[in-house]
């Protein structure tokens, strides 16, 4: 392919003039959050076809094929599959054709201060590839296929019928101290015994398992991959065994089970990124029962959004309800499952873009990050309403967050941030500490931006946070730890990757996870698929290395989920 050369000064001038109008996409490569926000979509580019639009530069079939593949891999995570805008700005033809080829090429090549990566200057795309991408986004976006009931039923498998499963635990595993570990790029999970630190079994799952969730009884482990495949694993079997599976869409992130008294293990819910919807399933077989679309109006602007993805889902302890975060529209849905044939839903407007979150220590208030708005929404699950919208740092990413008693301000819930080095502590006790409730009572400073998870435990005096996506290797390969009873002393740095003894790879340290007793903290040391990775176990009392788990089966370990802590929402 040949690229027509354009005056560089003109391109840069157009870029500077129009950046504020269009640019706000994936953060630049040097930004700690780029790897998180710019994730690829699992939509198969071959499934969406080719759309040609009047007024857009012509492309060959081969160029269309290349551009669609590149867009889904590098751009859809921020701009959306339909290019209507998400974390990044909209890239629909009415906007892109108006900006023109020269501007788009300059923007793609040089990036912007608003967060667009400099794909050309950084060597990510050639000049000809940039031309193709600038031309492609001037055509109307193709629409991926939907995924309805018949599609789900075609993928649904019951491998062991409920009536054929044991009625009691048939193995000698200490299930409360078992860990489900995501082997991200290997398409598996590893079940690791928390006492022996040995792998009990690896189980094939969907691609890039996002989370593991426990049923209310602690019997069933459910994992969901980014490819929207759910696997149900029976931990009571002679050895943990997959008993059911289903693919609930094309791309997904979240799964949860019913936990309200009288409904334990009755239902499973999963939320999709594409199509934008959630599905309620039978809790023992994963048979799909009810699919609900999340397309609708954005909070505030009241404009229609065709692609509001489902982020975190959590099970209410106050009502027979699932609490569902709808990312782009900024809505929290309280989905009541008492009668799923006549489903009732309470919709609470918060702020875009909702992502992850967890309970306060009472399990009444859902604390959820609206990370594009730099806020945490507080949802009262008992009264079914929003209690507060709290300003925090840049791009909050708490995971489930961390609950502890502050020496001065009483019970707090903490979040770290992708976009800056701060840790926001929010008061959560409106009865005994009303002046501090639902406010940031203190802001701590960690090592830097790029944090994905923060964690403590009721039996621990320490608060840990990773900095997985910080561009400084010394920071991304270590963790910060605060003493809760002496927060003013600042943090200590634990050299987790160094302790692991891993010789090559990125060695990014991710996700502190406690054991059941709360006296150990596990960290993943995450390198590439062909490189060695490890799990490092730290003694919580002494903050010293306790154990390193190395095994050729530990391929790209990321998230770790202790069965007891996940089952009982301990964090």
């Amino acid at each position: 392919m040949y690229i027509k050369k354009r005056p560089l000064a003109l391109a840069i001038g157009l870029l500077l003039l129009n950046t504020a109008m269009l640019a706000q996409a994936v953060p630049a490569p040097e930004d700690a959050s780029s790897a998180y926000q710019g994730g690829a979509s699992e939509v198969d580019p071959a499934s969406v076809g080719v759309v040609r639009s009047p007024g857009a530069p012509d492309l060959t079939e081969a160029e269309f094929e290349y551009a669609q593949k590149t867009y889904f891999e590098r751009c859809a995570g921020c701009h959306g599959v339909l290019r209507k805008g998400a974390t990044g700005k909209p890239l629909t033809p009415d906007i892109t054709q108006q900006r023109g080829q020269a501007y788009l090429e300059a923007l793609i090549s040089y990036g912007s201060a608003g967060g667009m990566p400099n794909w050309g200057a950084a060597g990510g795309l050639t000049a000809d590839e940039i031309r193709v991408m600038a031309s492609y986004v001037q055509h109307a976006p193709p629409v991926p296929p939907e995924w309805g009931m018949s599609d789900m039923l075609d993928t649904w498998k019951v491998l062991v019928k409920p009536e054929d499963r044991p009625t009691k635990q048939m193995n000698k595993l200490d299930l409360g101290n078992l860990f489900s570990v995501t082997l991200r790029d290997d398409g598996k999970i590893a079940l690791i015994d928390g006492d022996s630190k040995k792998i009990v079994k690896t189980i094939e799952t969907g691609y890039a398992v996002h989370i593991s969730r426990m049923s209310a009884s602690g019997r069933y482990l459910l994992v969901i991959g980014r490819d929207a495949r759910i696997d149900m694993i029976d931990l009571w079997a002679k050895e943990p065994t997959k008993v059911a599976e289903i693919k609930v869409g094309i791309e997904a992130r979240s799964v949860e089970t019913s936990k309200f008294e009288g409904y334990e293990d009755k239902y499973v819910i999963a939320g999709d990124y594409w199509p934008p919807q959630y599905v309620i399933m039978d809790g023992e077989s994963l048979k799909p029962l009810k699919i609900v679309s999340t397309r609708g109006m954005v909070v505030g602007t009241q404009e229609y959004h065709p692609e509001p993805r489902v982020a975190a889902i959590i099970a209410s302890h106050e009502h027979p309800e699932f609490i569902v975060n709808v990312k782009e529209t900024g809505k929290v849905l309280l989905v009541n499952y008492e009668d799923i044939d006549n489903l009732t839903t309470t919709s609470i407007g918060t702020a875009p873009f909702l992502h992850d979150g967890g309970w306060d220590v009472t399990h009444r208030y859902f604390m959820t990050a609206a990370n594009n708005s730099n806020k945490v929404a507080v949802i009262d699950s008992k009264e079914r309403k929003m209690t507060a919208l709290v300003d925090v740092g840049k791009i909050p990413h708490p995971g489930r967050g961390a609950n502890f008693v502050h020496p001065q301000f009483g019970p707090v819930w903490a979040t770290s941030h992708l976009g800056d080095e701060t840790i926001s502590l929010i008061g959560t006790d409106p009865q005994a500490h009303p002046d501090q409730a639902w406010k940031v009572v203190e802001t701590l400073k960690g090592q830097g931006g790029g944090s994905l998870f923060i964690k403590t435990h009721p039996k621990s005096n320490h608060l840990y946070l990773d900095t997985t996506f910080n561009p400084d290797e010394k920071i991304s390969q270590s963790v910060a730890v605060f003493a809760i009873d002496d927060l003013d002393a600042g943090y200590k740095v634990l050299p987790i990757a160094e302790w692991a003894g891993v010789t090559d790879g990125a060695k990014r340290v991710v996700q502190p996870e406690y054991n059941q007793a709360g006296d150990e903290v596990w960290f993943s040391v995450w390198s590439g698929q062909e490189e060695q990775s490890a799990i490092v176990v730290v003694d919580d009392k002494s903050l010293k290395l306790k154990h390193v788990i190395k095994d050729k089966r530990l391929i790209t370990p990321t998230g770790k989920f202790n069965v007891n802590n996940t089952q009982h929402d301990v964090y």
Side-chain angles (χ1 to χ4, degrees):
M1 291 185 283
Y2 170 76
I3 179 167
K4 180 179 178 182
K5 293 183 179 179
R6 304 178 186 276
L8 181 61
L10 171 61
I12 295 176
L14 286 167
L15 172 65
L16 294 175
L17 179 65
N18 293 295
T19 286
M21 301 171 67
L22 180 64
Q24 167 94 26
V26 191
E30 64 270 16
D31 188 316
S33 58
S34 61
Y36 164 71
Q37 291 185 333
S41 170
E42 290 304 304
V43 173
D44 179 6
S47 71
V48 298
V50 171
V51 177
R52 297 181 185 273
S53 301
D58 195 23
L59 291 171
T60 67
E61 293 295 322
E63 288 171 338
F64 261 111
E65 183 179 345
Y66 162 80
Q68 284 192 175
K69 182 175 185 294
T70 301
Y71 181 83
F72 284 118
E73 288 178 350
R74 301 191 182 190
C75 314
C78 284
H79 295 283
V81 169
L82 301 181
R83 294 196 237 134
K84 290 287 187 178
T87 305
K89 292 292 185 180
L91 293 175
T92 47
D94 58 317
I95 298 171
T96 54
Q97 288 189 20
Q98 183 182 12
R99 300 295 182 264
Q101 185 77 12
Y103 165 75
L104 294 169
E105 288 183 17
L107 180 64
I108 295 169
S109 182
Y110 299 106
S112 78
M116 180 74 178
N118 53 343
W119 293 109
L125 295 173
T126 67
D128 205 38
E129 289 167 345
I130 289 169
R131 173 189 65 80
V132 171
M133 294 307 298
S135 300
Y136 172 74
V137 296
Q138 294 178 67
H139 292 266
V143 179
E146 299 293 318
W147 195 270
M149 183 62 75
S150 62
D151 300 294
M152 292 186 194
L153 289 171
D154 283 345
T155 68
W156 172 51
K157 299 176 184 176
V158 177
L159 306 173
V160 181
K161 295 178 181 179
E163 59 267 28
D164 294 335
R165 299 171 196 169
T167 57
K168 62 180 180 179
Q169 184 179 339
M170 302 300 291
N171 56 64
K172 295 183 179 180
L173 293 171
D174 179 2
L175 295 184
N177 205 29
L178 191 69
F179 288 76
S180 173
V181 179
T182 296
L183 305 180
R184 186 188 184 279
D185 296 335
D186 201 33
K188 297 176 183 176
I189 61 159
L191 296 177
I192 301 181
D193 178 63
D195 299 320
S196 69
K197 313 295 189 291
K198 301 293 186 182
I199 294 179
V200 174
K201 188 176 184 180
T202 62
I203 297 175
E204 290 189 5
T205 61
Y207 169 72
V209 165
H210 194 66
I211 57 171
S212 296
R213 286 289 174 260
M214 291 305 307
S215 67
S217 67
R219 173 177 187 166
Y220 293 115
L221 172 69
L222 293 115
V223 297
I224 188 166
R226 286 178 55 181
D227 58 359
R229 173 175 154 183
I230 301 173
D231 292 283
M232 172 182 276
I233 298 159
D234 186 0
L235 299 181
W236 283 11
K238 222 174 222 187
E239 65 173 28
T241 300
K242 185 162 59 175
V243 294
E245 67 179 59
I246 190 173
K247 188 171 166 60
V248 295
I250 296 173
E251 184 174 4
R253 296 292 188 277
S254 52
V255 66
E256 180 62 292
T257 68
S258 53
K259 292 186 176 179
F260 188 69
E261 185 177 357
Y263 291 88
E264 296 92 340
D265 295 14
K266 184 174 179 62
Y267 294 117
V268 171
I269 185 174
D272 286 340
Y273 266 29
W274 186 269
Q277 62 193 27
Y278 62 85
V279 56
I280 299 174
M281 294 158 277
D282 177 75
E284 288 196 318
S285 69
L286 297 184
K287 180 180 180 180
L289 303 173
K290 187 84 168 182
I291 304 171
V292 181
S293 173
T294 54
R295 293 178 171 101
M297 302 300 182
V298 177
V299 167
T301 65
Q302 299 294 296
E303 297 294 329
Y304 178 75
H305 199 296
E307 194 186 343
R309 298 172 287 183
V310 177
I313 301 177
I314 199 164
S316 174
H317 299 274
E318 298 286 348
H319 300 282
E321 292 179 338
F322 293 117
I323 303 177
V324 178
N325 275 355
V326 185
K327 199 177 186 79
E328 280 74 21
T329 54
K331 293 179 181 177
V332 176
L333 306 180
L334 310 184
V335 180
N336 189 291
Y337 50 73
E338 286 181 288
D339 180 1
I340 65 168
D341 291 326
N342 299 283
L343 201 67
T344 59
T345 303
T346 300
S347 178
I348 302 172
T350 62
F353 295 118
L354 292 171
H355 191 62
D356 55 355
W359 292 116
D360 79 309
V361 71
T362 68
H363 292 170
R364 171 175 173 174
Y365 296 96
F366 178 44
M367 316 287 289
T368 183
N371 46 32
N372 200 56
S373 301
N374 302 328
K375 297 180 186 294
V376 167
V378 182
I379 304 298
D380 184 344
S381 67
K382 184 176 182 178
E383 298 296 330
R384 294 186 171 103
K385 63 182 181 181
M386 183 168 70
T387 297
L389 199 56
V390 185
D391 291 317
V392 293
K394 185 179 179 183
I395 315 177
H397 192 283
R400 291 300 203 186
N403 289 298
F404 62 93
V405 179
H406 190 282
Q408 181 179 352
F409 301 115
V412 298
W413 178 90
T415 181
S416 53
H417 301 86
L418 273 160
D420 64 35
E421 74 278 14
T422 65
I423 301 103
S424 298
L425 310 184
I426 300 172
T428 61
D429 187 359
Q431 279 72 46
H433 298 82
D435 293 340
Q436 284 77 43
W438 321 129
K439 300 174 184 176
V440 174
V441 297
E442 185 172 1
T443 300
L444 307 176
K445 286 193 175 181
Q447 293 193 85
S451 177
L452 285 178
F453 298 102
I454 187 168
K455 192 65 68 78
T456 188
H457 188 279
K459 296 181 180 178
S460 173
N461 184 48
H462 291 121
L463 178 69
Y464 298 84
L465 67 149
D466 61 27
T467 37
T468 311
F469 287 146
N470 194 284
D472 186 329
E473 285 188 356
K474 290 183 178 178
I475 295 176
S476 68
Q477 295 178 4
S478 61
V479 300
V481 55
F482 291 83
I484 290 172
D485 60 5
D486 191 13
L487 295 170
D488 292 340
Y491 59 85
K492 295 181 180 179
V493 176
L494 304 186
I496 301 297
E498 179 184 322
W499 286 350
V502 175
T503 56
D504 58 358
K507 295 178 280 188
R508 291 170 291 194
V509 176
V510 62
Q511 202 229 12
E513 177 75 347
Y514 281 83
N515 64 345
Q516 181 179 8
D519 57 11
E520 292 177 355
V521 189
W522 294 32
F523 298 91
S524 296
V525 180
W526 171 25
S527 289
Q529 192 167 5
E530 304 301 323
E531 298 162 334
Q532 187 181 44
S533 293
I535 292 174
V536 170
V537 181
V538 173
D539 181 89
D540 181 60
K541 303 298 181 187
S542 65
L543 300 182
K544 293 181 179 179
L545 174 64
K546 185 171 183 178
H547 192 84
V548 177
I549 304 174
K550 289 182 179 177
D551 190 298
K552 64 181 181 181
R553 293 170 290 176
L554 271 183
I555 299 171
T556 58
T558 52
K560 302 163 299 303
F561 302 87
N562 172 268
V563 165
N564 176 78
N565 297 343
T566 304
Q567 177 187 357
H568 298 290
D569 294 312
V570 177
Y571 36 79

